[in-house]
Amino acid sequence: QVQLVESGGGLVQPGGSLRLSCAASGSIFSANAMGWYRQAPGKQREFLASISTTASPYYKPSVKGRFTISRDNARNTVYLQMNSLQPEDTAVYYCNRLPRAWDWGKGTLVTVSS
């Protein structure tokens, strides 16, 4: 089973930026579309962005223009560059395969606060 390890979260001030990483174990990473999700306290997990095997991105409208998804198949890693962060972006961020998810990783916490 593939293991997903998210990293790069932290505390950032409103308007700031973070770059999240998600490393996947195993050699099948490049054959799968990947996505980023987040779960805010007391809310359901929500989809944010996806990237196809050919690196074609798709974004939830609410994050389009602020977030950028990318992938490095040689490193089995998918990234999420997040700019202009706001307090409502505070959440635990996860990555996973699309459309059929692997086991979820622990996520990485992003806190946007002054």
Side-chain angles (χ1 to χ4, degrees), residues 44-85:
Q44 291 187 336
R45 186 177 290 149
E46 64 171 331
F47 166 82
L48 298 174
S50 64
I51 187 164
S52 71
T53 56
T54 57
S56 178
Y58 174 81
Y59 300 97
K60 182 178 181 179
S62 62
V63 304
K64 191 174 184 179
R66 295 195 300 130
F67 292 5
T68 302
I69 189 171
S70 60
R71 66 190 298 161
D72 183 343
N73 290 337
R75 297 178 183 272
N76 283 3
T77 300
V78 61
Y79 304 97
L80 187 68
Q81 176 69 41
M82 305 188 296
N83 300 326
S84 302
L85 286 164

PDB file of all heavy atoms in Angstrom, residues 44-85:
ATOM      1  N   GLN A  44     -16.086  19.211   6.944  1.00  0.00           N
ATOM      2  CA  GLN A  44     -15.735  18.052   6.154  1.00  0.00           C
ATOM      3  C   GLN A  44     -14.508  18.342   5.306  1.00  0.00           C
ATOM      4  O   GLN A  44     -14.193  19.497   4.994  1.00  0.00           O
ATOM      5  CB  GLN A  44     -16.906  17.654   5.256  1.00  0.00           C
ATOM      6  CG  GLN A  44     -18.097  17.088   6.002  1.00  0.00           C
ATOM      7  CD  GLN A  44     -19.167  16.552   5.069  1.00  0.00           C
ATOM      8  OE1 GLN A  44     -19.278  16.957   3.914  1.00  0.00           O
ATOM      9  NE2 GLN A  44     -19.958  15.610   5.561  1.00  0.00           N
ATOM     10  N   ARG A  45     -13.825  17.272   4.940  1.00  0.00           N
ATOM     11  CA  ARG A  45     -12.695  17.419   4.043  1.00  0.00           C
ATOM     12  C   ARG A  45     -13.187  17.922   2.700  1.00  0.00           C
ATOM     13  O   ARG A  45     -14.208  17.468   2.184  1.00  0.00           O
ATOM     14  CB  ARG A  45     -11.997  16.074   3.883  1.00  0.00           C
ATOM     15  CG  ARG A  45     -10.720  16.106   3.085  1.00  0.00           C
ATOM     16  CD  ARG A  45     -10.082  14.736   3.062  1.00  0.00           C
ATOM     17  NE  ARG A  45      -9.551  14.389   4.381  1.00  0.00           N
ATOM     18  CZ  ARG A  45      -9.487  13.143   4.842  1.00  0.00           C
ATOM     19  NH1 ARG A  45      -9.938  12.142   4.105  1.00  0.00           N
ATOM     20  NH2 ARG A  45      -8.989  12.905   6.028  1.00  0.00           N
ATOM     21  N   GLU A  46     -12.455  18.875   2.112  1.00  0.00           N
ATOM     22  CA  GLU A  46     -12.861  19.429   0.832  1.00  0.00           C
ATOM     23  C   GLU A  46     -11.730  19.317  -0.181  1.00  0.00           C
ATOM     24  O   GLU A  46     -10.549  19.436   0.154  1.00  0.00           O
ATOM     25  CB  GLU A  46     -13.283  20.898   0.963  1.00  0.00           C
ATOM     26  CG  GLU A  46     -12.197  21.845   1.380  1.00  0.00           C
ATOM     27  CD  GLU A  46     -12.597  23.316   1.286  1.00  0.00           C
ATOM     28  OE1 GLU A  46     -13.444  23.665   0.429  1.00  0.00           O
ATOM     29  OE2 GLU A  46     -12.036  24.114   2.054  1.00  0.00           O
ATOM     30  N   PHE A  47     -12.132  19.127  -1.414  1.00  0.00           N
ATOM     31  CA  PHE A  47     -11.195  19.053  -2.518  1.00  0.00           C
ATOM     32  C   PHE A  47     -10.713  20.453  -2.876  1.00  0.00           C
ATOM     33  O   PHE A  47     -11.500  21.407  -2.877  1.00  0.00           O
ATOM     34  CB  PHE A  47     -11.888  18.419  -3.724  1.00  0.00           C
ATOM     35  CG  PHE A  47     -11.143  18.572  -5.016  1.00  0.00           C
ATOM     36  CD1 PHE A  47     -10.112  17.720  -5.343  1.00  0.00           C
ATOM     37  CD2 PHE A  47     -11.483  19.581  -5.897  1.00  0.00           C
ATOM     38  CE1 PHE A  47      -9.419  17.871  -6.529  1.00  0.00           C
ATOM     39  CE2 PHE A  47     -10.813  19.741  -7.089  1.00  0.00           C
ATOM     40  CZ  PHE A  47      -9.775  18.887  -7.412  1.00  0.00           C
ATOM     41  N   LEU A  48      -9.431  20.572  -3.212  1.00  0.00           N
ATOM     42  CA  LEU A  48      -8.874  21.877  -3.584  1.00  0.00           C
ATOM     43  C   LEU A  48      -8.368  21.900  -5.025  1.00  0.00           C
ATOM     44  O   LEU A  48      -8.623  22.860  -5.762  1.00  0.00           O
ATOM     45  CB  LEU A  48      -7.708  22.224  -2.663  1.00  0.00           C
ATOM     46  CG  LEU A  48      -8.026  22.373  -1.189  1.00  0.00           C
ATOM     47  CD1 LEU A  48      -6.735  22.572  -0.402  1.00  0.00           C
ATOM     48  CD2 LEU A  48      -8.996  23.513  -0.955  1.00  0.00           C
ATOM     49  N   ALA A  49      -7.588  20.905  -5.384  1.00  0.00           N
ATOM     50  CA  ALA A  49      -6.930  20.935  -6.692  1.00  0.00           C
ATOM     51  C   ALA A  49      -6.500  19.534  -7.068  1.00  0.00           C
ATOM     52  O   ALA A  49      -6.294  18.684  -6.204  1.00  0.00           O
ATOM     53  CB  ALA A  49      -5.722  21.859  -6.662  1.00  0.00           C
ATOM     54  N   SER A  50      -6.349  19.318  -8.367  1.00  0.00           N
ATOM     55  CA  SER A  50      -5.853  18.034  -8.847  1.00  0.00           C
ATOM     56  C   SER A  50      -4.871  18.259  -9.979  1.00  0.00           C
ATOM     57  O   SER A  50      -4.857  19.338 -10.603  1.00  0.00           O
ATOM     58  CB  SER A  50      -7.000  17.139  -9.322  1.00  0.00           C
ATOM     59  OG  SER A  50      -7.643  17.711 -10.435  1.00  0.00           O
ATOM     60  N   ILE A  51      -4.062  17.224 -10.218  1.00  0.00           N
ATOM     61  CA  ILE A  51      -3.122  17.282 -11.330  1.00  0.00           C
ATOM     62  C   ILE A  51      -3.095  15.913 -11.989  1.00  0.00           C
ATOM     63  O   ILE A  51      -2.995  14.884 -11.310  1.00  0.00           O
ATOM     64  CB  ILE A  51      -1.731  17.742 -10.856  1.00  0.00           C
ATOM     65  CG1 ILE A  51      -0.800  17.963 -12.051  1.00  0.00           C
ATOM     66  CG2 ILE A  51      -1.125  16.778  -9.828  1.00  0.00           C
ATOM     67  CD1 ILE A  51       0.447  18.768 -11.707  1.00  0.00           C
ATOM     68  N   SER A  52      -3.232  15.911 -13.299  1.00  0.00           N
ATOM     69  CA  SER A  52      -3.304  14.647 -14.030  1.00  0.00           C
ATOM     70  C   SER A  52      -1.921  14.041 -14.196  1.00  0.00           C
ATOM     71  O   SER A  52      -0.900  14.637 -13.828  1.00  0.00           O
ATOM     72  CB  SER A  52      -3.936  14.888 -15.399  1.00  0.00           C
ATOM     73  OG  SER A  52      -3.038  15.613 -16.228  1.00  0.00           O
ATOM     74  N   THR A  53      -1.895  12.871 -14.812  1.00  0.00           N
ATOM     75  CA  THR A  53      -0.614  12.220 -15.063  1.00  0.00           C
ATOM     76  C   THR A  53       0.223  13.019 -16.058  1.00  0.00           C
ATOM     77  O   THR A  53       1.440  12.885 -16.096  1.00  0.00           O
ATOM     78  CB  THR A  53      -0.820  10.798 -15.592  1.00  0.00           C
ATOM     79  OG1 THR A  53      -1.649  10.849 -16.759  1.00  0.00           O
ATOM     80  CG2 THR A  53      -1.501   9.923 -14.537  1.00  0.00           C
ATOM     81  N   THR A  54      -0.431  13.847 -16.852  1.00  0.00           N
ATOM     82  CA  THR A  54       0.287  14.699 -17.813  1.00  0.00           C
ATOM     83  C   THR A  54       0.460  16.119 -17.285  1.00  0.00           C
ATOM     84  O   THR A  54       0.715  17.046 -18.053  1.00  0.00           O
ATOM     85  CB  THR A  54      -0.453  14.731 -19.153  1.00  0.00           C
ATOM     86  OG1 THR A  54      -1.802  15.185 -18.927  1.00  0.00           O
ATOM     87  CG2 THR A  54      -0.480  13.358 -19.792  1.00  0.00           C
ATOM     88  N   ALA A  55       0.272  16.276 -15.965  1.00  0.00           N
ATOM     89  CA  ALA A  55       0.499  17.551 -15.270  1.00  0.00           C
ATOM     90  C   ALA A  55      -0.511  18.622 -15.634  1.00  0.00           C
ATOM     91  O   ALA A  55      -0.225  19.820 -15.490  1.00  0.00           O
ATOM     92  CB  ALA A  55       1.926  18.051 -15.480  1.00  0.00           C
ATOM     93  N   SER A  56      -1.689  18.220 -16.051  1.00  0.00           N
ATOM     94  CA  SER A  56      -2.739  19.194 -16.295  1.00  0.00           C
ATOM     95  C   SER A  56      -3.465  19.478 -14.982  1.00  0.00           C
ATOM     96  O   SER A  56      -3.974  18.563 -14.337  1.00  0.00           O
ATOM     97  CB  SER A  56      -3.728  18.644 -17.324  1.00  0.00           C
ATOM     98  OG  SER A  56      -4.784  19.543 -17.539  1.00  0.00           O
ATOM     99  N   PRO A  57      -3.510  20.743 -14.556  1.00  0.00           N
ATOM    100  CA  PRO A  57      -4.108  21.052 -13.268  1.00  0.00           C
ATOM    101  C   PRO A  57      -5.598  21.385 -13.360  1.00  0.00           C
ATOM    102  O   PRO A  57      -6.095  21.796 -14.415  1.00  0.00           O
ATOM    103  CB  PRO A  57      -3.324  22.286 -12.808  1.00  0.00           C
ATOM    104  CG  PRO A  57      -3.033  22.997 -14.093  1.00  0.00           C
ATOM    105  CD  PRO A  57      -2.858  21.928 -15.138  1.00  0.00           C
ATOM    106  N   TYR A  58      -6.273  21.215 -12.232  1.00  0.00           N
ATOM    107  CA  TYR A  58      -7.656  21.651 -12.085  1.00  0.00           C
ATOM    108  C   TYR A  58      -7.799  22.196 -10.674  1.00  0.00           C
ATOM    109  O   TYR A  58      -7.257  21.635  -9.723  1.00  0.00           O
ATOM    110  CB  TYR A  58      -8.635  20.497 -12.300  1.00  0.00           C
ATOM    111  CG  TYR A  58     -10.059  20.893 -12.008  1.00  0.00           C
ATOM    112  CD1 TYR A  58     -10.811  21.575 -12.968  1.00  0.00           C
ATOM    113  CD2 TYR A  58     -10.641  20.650 -10.769  1.00  0.00           C
ATOM    114  CE1 TYR A  58     -12.104  21.975 -12.692  1.00  0.00           C
ATOM    115  CE2 TYR A  58     -11.935  21.059 -10.493  1.00  0.00           C
ATOM    116  CZ  TYR A  58     -12.660  21.713 -11.452  1.00  0.00           C
ATOM    117  OH  TYR A  58     -13.936  22.132 -11.180  1.00  0.00           O
ATOM    118  N   TYR A  59      -8.534  23.297 -10.542  1.00  0.00           N
ATOM    119  CA  TYR A  59      -8.679  23.950  -9.240  1.00  0.00           C
ATOM    120  C   TYR A  59     -10.138  24.168  -8.878  1.00  0.00           C
ATOM    121  O   TYR A  59     -10.965  24.492  -9.733  1.00  0.00           O
ATOM    122  CB  TYR A  59      -7.970  25.305  -9.244  1.00  0.00           C
ATOM    123  CG  TYR A  59      -6.496  25.219  -9.522  1.00  0.00           C
ATOM    124  CD1 TYR A  59      -6.004  25.425 -10.809  1.00  0.00           C
ATOM    125  CD2 TYR A  59      -5.588  24.926  -8.507  1.00  0.00           C
ATOM    126  CE1 TYR A  59      -4.647  25.329 -11.077  1.00  0.00           C
ATOM    127  CE2 TYR A  59      -4.232  24.835  -8.769  1.00  0.00           C
ATOM    128  CZ  TYR A  59      -3.771  25.032 -10.051  1.00  0.00           C
ATOM    129  OH  TYR A  59      -2.425  24.929 -10.312  1.00  0.00           O
ATOM    130  N   LYS A  60     -10.390  24.039  -7.604  1.00  0.00           N
ATOM    131  CA  LYS A  60     -11.663  24.491  -7.085  1.00  0.00           C
ATOM    132  C   LYS A  60     -11.708  25.999  -7.305  1.00  0.00           C
ATOM    133  O   LYS A  60     -10.705  26.690  -7.055  1.00  0.00           O
ATOM    134  CB  LYS A  60     -11.771  24.150  -5.603  1.00  0.00           C
ATOM    135  CG  LYS A  60     -13.089  24.536  -4.973  1.00  0.00           C
ATOM    136  CD  LYS A  60     -13.143  24.114  -3.517  1.00  0.00           C
ATOM    137  CE  LYS A  60     -14.475  24.483  -2.901  1.00  0.00           C
ATOM    138  NZ  LYS A  60     -14.571  24.053  -1.485  1.00  0.00           N
ATOM    139  N   PRO A  61     -12.826  26.524  -7.775  1.00  0.00           N
ATOM    140  CA  PRO A  61     -12.869  27.951  -8.096  1.00  0.00           C
ATOM    141  C   PRO A  61     -12.425  28.872  -6.964  1.00  0.00           C
ATOM    142  O   PRO A  61     -11.809  29.912  -7.218  1.00  0.00           O
ATOM    143  CB  PRO A  61     -14.347  28.172  -8.448  1.00  0.00           C
ATOM    144  CG  PRO A  61     -14.780  26.866  -9.013  1.00  0.00           C
ATOM    145  CD  PRO A  61     -14.059  25.830  -8.195  1.00  0.00           C
ATOM    146  N   SER A  62     -12.689  28.485  -5.728  1.00  0.00           N
ATOM    147  CA  SER A  62     -12.375  29.362  -4.607  1.00  0.00           C
ATOM    148  C   SER A  62     -10.874  29.511  -4.365  1.00  0.00           C
ATOM    149  O   SER A  62     -10.445  30.435  -3.678  1.00  0.00           O
ATOM    150  CB  SER A  62     -13.055  28.873  -3.329  1.00  0.00           C
ATOM    151  OG  SER A  62     -12.601  27.584  -2.978  1.00  0.00           O
ATOM    152  N   VAL A  63     -10.058  28.609  -4.911  1.00  0.00           N
ATOM    153  CA  VAL A  63      -8.614  28.719  -4.711  1.00  0.00           C
ATOM    154  C   VAL A  63      -7.859  29.011  -6.006  1.00  0.00           C
ATOM    155  O   VAL A  63      -6.650  29.263  -5.980  1.00  0.00           O
ATOM    156  CB  VAL A  63      -8.029  27.443  -4.055  1.00  0.00           C
ATOM    157  CG1 VAL A  63      -8.738  27.145  -2.748  1.00  0.00           C
ATOM    158  CG2 VAL A  63      -8.075  26.250  -4.995  1.00  0.00           C
ATOM    159  N   LYS A  64      -8.561  28.992  -7.115  1.00  0.00           N
ATOM    160  CA  LYS A  64      -7.911  29.258  -8.397  1.00  0.00           C
ATOM    161  C   LYS A  64      -7.333  30.658  -8.402  1.00  0.00           C
ATOM    162  O   LYS A  64      -7.984  31.607  -7.987  1.00  0.00           O
ATOM    163  CB  LYS A  64      -8.911  29.090  -9.536  1.00  0.00           C
ATOM    164  CG  LYS A  64      -8.280  29.098 -10.909  1.00  0.00           C
ATOM    165  CD  LYS A  64      -9.313  28.774 -11.969  1.00  0.00           C
ATOM    166  CE  LYS A  64      -8.667  28.692 -13.345  1.00  0.00           C
ATOM    167  NZ  LYS A  64      -9.653  28.360 -14.400  1.00  0.00           N
ATOM    168  N   GLY A  65      -6.084  30.747  -8.838  1.00  0.00           N
ATOM    169  CA  GLY A  65      -5.399  32.034  -8.835  1.00  0.00           C
ATOM    170  C   GLY A  65      -4.557  32.262  -7.598  1.00  0.00           C
ATOM    171  O   GLY A  65      -3.654  33.102  -7.613  1.00  0.00           O
ATOM    172  N   ARG A  66      -4.839  31.531  -6.525  1.00  0.00           N
ATOM    173  CA  ARG A  66      -4.025  31.642  -5.307  1.00  0.00           C
ATOM    174  C   ARG A  66      -3.167  30.401  -5.086  1.00  0.00           C
ATOM    175  O   ARG A  66      -2.072  30.491  -4.541  1.00  0.00           O
ATOM    176  CB  ARG A  66      -4.905  31.843  -4.075  1.00  0.00           C
ATOM    177  CG  ARG A  66      -5.685  33.130  -4.042  1.00  0.00           C
ATOM    178  CD  ARG A  66      -6.207  33.395  -2.645  1.00  0.00           C
ATOM    179  NE  ARG A  66      -7.102  32.320  -2.178  1.00  0.00           N
ATOM    180  CZ  ARG A  66      -6.967  31.716  -1.003  1.00  0.00           C
ATOM    181  NH1 ARG A  66      -5.981  32.046  -0.178  1.00  0.00           N
ATOM    182  NH2 ARG A  66      -7.827  30.774  -0.645  1.00  0.00           N
ATOM    183  N   PHE A  67      -3.687  29.249  -5.451  1.00  0.00           N
ATOM    184  CA  PHE A  67      -2.986  27.977  -5.239  1.00  0.00           C
ATOM    185  C   PHE A  67      -2.506  27.427  -6.567  1.00  0.00           C
ATOM    186  O   PHE A  67      -3.186  27.561  -7.587  1.00  0.00           O
ATOM    187  CB  PHE A  67      -3.911  26.958  -4.589  1.00  0.00           C
ATOM    188  CG  PHE A  67      -4.312  27.253  -3.162  1.00  0.00           C
ATOM    189  CD1 PHE A  67      -3.942  28.434  -2.528  1.00  0.00           C
ATOM    190  CD2 PHE A  67      -5.058  26.338  -2.456  1.00  0.00           C
ATOM    191  CE1 PHE A  67      -4.310  28.698  -1.224  1.00  0.00           C
ATOM    192  CE2 PHE A  67      -5.439  26.588  -1.138  1.00  0.00           C
ATOM    193  CZ  PHE A  67      -5.070  27.768  -0.526  1.00  0.00           C
ATOM    194  N   THR A  68      -1.342  26.784  -6.545  1.00  0.00           N
ATOM    195  CA  THR A  68      -0.785  26.150  -7.731  1.00  0.00           C
ATOM    196  C   THR A  68      -0.332  24.736  -7.381  1.00  0.00           C
ATOM    197  O   THR A  68       0.480  24.563  -6.464  1.00  0.00           O
ATOM    198  CB  THR A  68       0.397  26.938  -8.293  1.00  0.00           C
ATOM    199  OG1 THR A  68      -0.026  28.264  -8.607  1.00  0.00           O
ATOM    200  CG2 THR A  68       0.945  26.285  -9.550  1.00  0.00           C
ATOM    201  N   ILE A  69      -0.849  23.773  -8.103  1.00  0.00           N
ATOM    202  CA  ILE A  69      -0.466  22.382  -7.888  1.00  0.00           C
ATOM    203  C   ILE A  69       0.562  21.984  -8.935  1.00  0.00           C
ATOM    204  O   ILE A  69       0.486  22.413 -10.095  1.00  0.00           O
ATOM    205  CB  ILE A  69      -1.703  21.455  -7.935  1.00  0.00           C
ATOM    206  CG1 ILE A  69      -1.347  20.042  -7.485  1.00  0.00           C
ATOM    207  CG2 ILE A  69      -2.347  21.465  -9.311  1.00  0.00           C
ATOM    208  CD1 ILE A  69      -2.579  19.136  -7.301  1.00  0.00           C
ATOM    209  N   SER A  70       1.520  21.192  -8.515  1.00  0.00           N
ATOM    210  CA  SER A  70       2.540  20.694  -9.444  1.00  0.00           C
ATOM    211  C   SER A  70       3.000  19.327  -8.954  1.00  0.00           C
ATOM    212  O   SER A  70       2.685  18.913  -7.841  1.00  0.00           O
ATOM    213  CB  SER A  70       3.715  21.661  -9.548  1.00  0.00           C
ATOM    214  OG  SER A  70       4.335  21.839  -8.278  1.00  0.00           O
ATOM    215  N   ARG A  71       3.752  18.647  -9.816  1.00  0.00           N
ATOM    216  CA  ARG A  71       4.232  17.328  -9.430  1.00  0.00           C
ATOM    217  C   ARG A  71       5.628  17.096  -9.972  1.00  0.00           C
ATOM    218  O   ARG A  71       6.003  17.664 -11.002  1.00  0.00           O
ATOM    219  CB  ARG A  71       3.287  16.234  -9.922  1.00  0.00           C
ATOM    220  CG  ARG A  71       3.199  16.065 -11.418  1.00  0.00           C
ATOM    221  CD  ARG A  71       2.058  15.123 -11.798  1.00  0.00           C
ATOM    222  NE  ARG A  71       2.274  13.779 -11.252  1.00  0.00           N
ATOM    223  CZ  ARG A  71       1.288  12.878 -11.104  1.00  0.00           C
ATOM    224  NH1 ARG A  71       0.044  13.175 -11.451  1.00  0.00           N
ATOM    225  NH2 ARG A  71       1.571  11.677 -10.612  1.00  0.00           N
ATOM    226  N   ASP A  72       6.374  16.257  -9.276  1.00  0.00           N
ATOM    227  CA  ASP A  72       7.703  15.838  -9.695  1.00  0.00           C
ATOM    228  C   ASP A  72       7.707  14.315  -9.630  1.00  0.00           C
ATOM    229  O   ASP A  72       7.863  13.738  -8.547  1.00  0.00           O
ATOM    230  CB  ASP A  72       8.774  16.440  -8.783  1.00  0.00           C
ATOM    231  CG  ASP A  72      10.187  16.102  -9.227  1.00  0.00           C
ATOM    232  OD1 ASP A  72      10.363  15.157 -10.025  1.00  0.00           O
ATOM    233  OD2 ASP A  72      11.117  16.775  -8.772  1.00  0.00           O
ATOM    234  N   ASN A  73       7.509  13.686 -10.760  1.00  0.00           N
ATOM    235  CA  ASN A  73       7.402  12.220 -10.764  1.00  0.00           C
ATOM    236  C   ASN A  73       8.713  11.545 -10.371  1.00  0.00           C
ATOM    237  O   ASN A  73       8.701  10.450  -9.820  1.00  0.00           O
ATOM    238  CB  ASN A  73       6.951  11.735 -12.141  1.00  0.00           C
ATOM    239  CG  ASN A  73       5.509  12.088 -12.431  1.00  0.00           C
ATOM    240  OD1 ASN A  73       4.709  12.306 -11.515  1.00  0.00           O
ATOM    241  ND2 ASN A  73       5.170  12.161 -13.704  1.00  0.00           N
ATOM    242  N   ALA A  74       9.832  12.191 -10.653  1.00  0.00           N
ATOM    243  CA  ALA A  74      11.118  11.605 -10.274  1.00  0.00           C
ATOM    244  C   ALA A  74      11.264  11.523  -8.757  1.00  0.00           C
ATOM    245  O   ALA A  74      11.979  10.655  -8.249  1.00  0.00           O
ATOM    246  CB  ALA A  74      12.255  12.422 -10.866  1.00  0.00           C
ATOM    247  N   ARG A  75      10.597  12.418  -8.049  1.00  0.00           N
ATOM    248  CA  ARG A  75      10.650  12.449  -6.586  1.00  0.00           C
ATOM    249  C   ARG A  75       9.382  11.875  -5.953  1.00  0.00           C
ATOM    250  O   ARG A  75       9.240  11.917  -4.736  1.00  0.00           O
ATOM    251  CB  ARG A  75      10.861  13.881  -6.093  1.00  0.00           C
ATOM    252  CG  ARG A  75      12.173  14.497  -6.537  1.00  0.00           C
ATOM    253  CD  ARG A  75      12.289  15.932  -6.047  1.00  0.00           C
ATOM    254  NE  ARG A  75      13.516  16.586  -6.509  1.00  0.00           N
ATOM    255  CZ  ARG A  75      14.665  16.548  -5.868  1.00  0.00           C
ATOM    256  NH1 ARG A  75      14.762  15.903  -4.717  1.00  0.00           N
ATOM    257  NH2 ARG A  75      15.721  17.163  -6.363  1.00  0.00           N
ATOM    258  N   ASN A  76       8.456  11.371  -6.791  1.00  0.00           N
ATOM    259  CA  ASN A  76       7.179  10.855  -6.273  1.00  0.00           C
ATOM    260  C   ASN A  76       6.507  11.879  -5.361  1.00  0.00           C
ATOM    261  O   ASN A  76       5.987  11.540  -4.287  1.00  0.00           O
ATOM    262  CB  ASN A  76       7.385   9.543  -5.505  1.00  0.00           C
ATOM    263  CG  ASN A  76       7.589   8.357  -6.414  1.00  0.00           C
ATOM    264  OD1 ASN A  76       7.643   8.497  -7.633  1.00  0.00           O
ATOM    265  ND2 ASN A  76       7.728   7.183  -5.840  1.00  0.00           N
ATOM    266  N   THR A  77       6.509  13.128  -5.764  1.00  0.00           N
ATOM    267  CA  THR A  77       6.045  14.206  -4.900  1.00  0.00           C
ATOM    268  C   THR A  77       5.099  15.129  -5.655  1.00  0.00           C
ATOM    269  O   THR A  77       5.330  15.454  -6.820  1.00  0.00           O
ATOM    270  CB  THR A  77       7.233  15.011  -4.350  1.00  0.00           C
ATOM    271  OG1 THR A  77       8.086  14.133  -3.601  1.00  0.00           O
ATOM    272  CG2 THR A  77       6.755  16.129  -3.432  1.00  0.00           C
ATOM    273  N   VAL A  78       4.060  15.538  -4.952  1.00  0.00           N
ATOM    274  CA  VAL A  78       3.144  16.541  -5.466  1.00  0.00           C
ATOM    275  C   VAL A  78       3.215  17.746  -4.533  1.00  0.00           C
ATOM    276  O   VAL A  78       3.388  17.592  -3.321  1.00  0.00           O
ATOM    277  CB  VAL A  78       1.711  15.987  -5.592  1.00  0.00           C
ATOM    278  CG1 VAL A  78       1.156  15.540  -4.257  1.00  0.00           C
ATOM    279  CG2 VAL A  78       0.799  17.002  -6.254  1.00  0.00           C
ATOM    280  N   TYR A  79       3.126  18.934  -5.105  1.00  0.00           N
ATOM    281  CA  TYR A  79       3.277  20.174  -4.350  1.00  0.00           C
ATOM    282  C   TYR A  79       2.011  21.014  -4.435  1.00  0.00           C
ATOM    283  O   TYR A  79       1.225  20.903  -5.381  1.00  0.00           O
ATOM    284  CB  TYR A  79       4.443  20.988  -4.904  1.00  0.00           C
ATOM    285  CG  TYR A  79       5.756  20.253  -4.922  1.00  0.00           C
ATOM    286  CD1 TYR A  79       6.209  19.628  -6.082  1.00  0.00           C
ATOM    287  CD2 TYR A  79       6.558  20.187  -3.783  1.00  0.00           C
ATOM    288  CE1 TYR A  79       7.422  18.952  -6.104  1.00  0.00           C
ATOM    289  CE2 TYR A  79       7.772  19.519  -3.803  1.00  0.00           C
ATOM    290  CZ  TYR A  79       8.185  18.899  -4.962  1.00  0.00           C
ATOM    291  OH  TYR A  79       9.386  18.224  -4.971  1.00  0.00           O
ATOM    292  N   LEU A  80       1.857  21.878  -3.439  1.00  0.00           N
ATOM    293  CA  LEU A  80       0.798  22.879  -3.483  1.00  0.00           C
ATOM    294  C   LEU A  80       1.392  24.194  -3.016  1.00  0.00           C
ATOM    295  O   LEU A  80       1.708  24.354  -1.834  1.00  0.00           O
ATOM    296  CB  LEU A  80      -0.389  22.485  -2.602  1.00  0.00           C
ATOM    297  CG  LEU A  80      -1.597  23.400  -2.737  1.00  0.00           C
ATOM    298  CD1 LEU A  80      -2.234  23.248  -4.125  1.00  0.00           C
ATOM    299  CD2 LEU A  80      -2.633  23.107  -1.652  1.00  0.00           C
ATOM    300  N   GLN A  81       1.566  25.103  -3.944  1.00  0.00           N
ATOM    301  CA  GLN A  81       2.015  26.463  -3.616  1.00  0.00           C
ATOM    302  C   GLN A  81       0.785  27.280  -3.280  1.00  0.00           C
ATOM    303  O   GLN A  81      -0.141  27.373  -4.092  1.00  0.00           O
ATOM    304  CB  GLN A  81       2.760  27.074  -4.799  1.00  0.00           C
ATOM    305  CG  GLN A  81       3.170  28.513  -4.581  1.00  0.00           C
ATOM    306  CD  GLN A  81       4.249  28.668  -3.532  1.00  0.00           C
ATOM    307  OE1 GLN A  81       5.186  27.883  -3.480  1.00  0.00           O
ATOM    308  NE2 GLN A  81       4.110  29.689  -2.672  1.00  0.00           N
ATOM    309  N   MET A  82       0.788  27.863  -2.096  1.00  0.00           N
ATOM    310  CA  MET A  82      -0.365  28.630  -1.636  1.00  0.00           C
ATOM    311  C   MET A  82       0.066  30.065  -1.365  1.00  0.00           C
ATOM    312  O   MET A  82       0.982  30.303  -0.564  1.00  0.00           O
ATOM    313  CB  MET A  82      -0.949  28.013  -0.368  1.00  0.00           C
ATOM    314  CG  MET A  82      -1.299  26.538  -0.520  1.00  0.00           C
ATOM    315  SD  MET A  82      -2.181  25.886   0.902  1.00  0.00           S
ATOM    316  CE  MET A  82      -0.930  26.063   2.176  1.00  0.00           C
ATOM    317  N   ASN A  83      -0.583  30.989  -2.029  1.00  0.00           N
ATOM    318  CA  ASN A  83      -0.286  32.414  -1.871  1.00  0.00           C
ATOM    319  C   ASN A  83      -1.502  33.151  -1.342  1.00  0.00           C
ATOM    320  O   ASN A  83      -2.623  32.637  -1.393  1.00  0.00           O
ATOM    321  CB  ASN A  83       0.140  33.005  -3.220  1.00  0.00           C
ATOM    322  CG  ASN A  83       1.381  32.350  -3.790  1.00  0.00           C
ATOM    323  OD1 ASN A  83       2.277  31.946  -3.056  1.00  0.00           O
ATOM    324  ND2 ASN A  83       1.435  32.245  -5.110  1.00  0.00           N
ATOM    325  N   SER A  84      -1.261  34.344  -0.863  1.00  0.00           N
ATOM    326  CA  SER A  84      -2.347  35.204  -0.346  1.00  0.00           C
ATOM    327  C   SER A  84      -3.223  34.443   0.646  1.00  0.00           C
ATOM    328  O   SER A  84      -4.453  34.491   0.579  1.00  0.00           O
ATOM    329  CB  SER A  84      -3.200  35.717  -1.512  1.00  0.00           C
ATOM    330  OG  SER A  84      -2.416  36.437  -2.428  1.00  0.00           O
ATOM    331  N   LEU A  85      -2.585  33.780   1.567  1.00  0.00           N
ATOM    332  CA  LEU A  85      -3.327  32.966   2.530  1.00  0.00           C
ATOM    333  C   LEU A  85      -4.142  33.843   3.474  1.00  0.00           C
ATOM    334  O   LEU A  85      -3.718  34.938   3.864  1.00  0.00           O
ATOM    335  CB  LEU A  85      -2.358  32.083   3.314  1.00  0.00           C
ATOM    336  CG  LEU A  85      -1.806  30.893   2.516  1.00  0.00           C
ATOM    337  CD1 LEU A  85      -0.591  30.298   3.206  1.00  0.00           C
ATOM    338  CD2 LEU A  85      -2.876  29.834   2.324  1.00  0.00           C
TER     339      LEU A  85
END
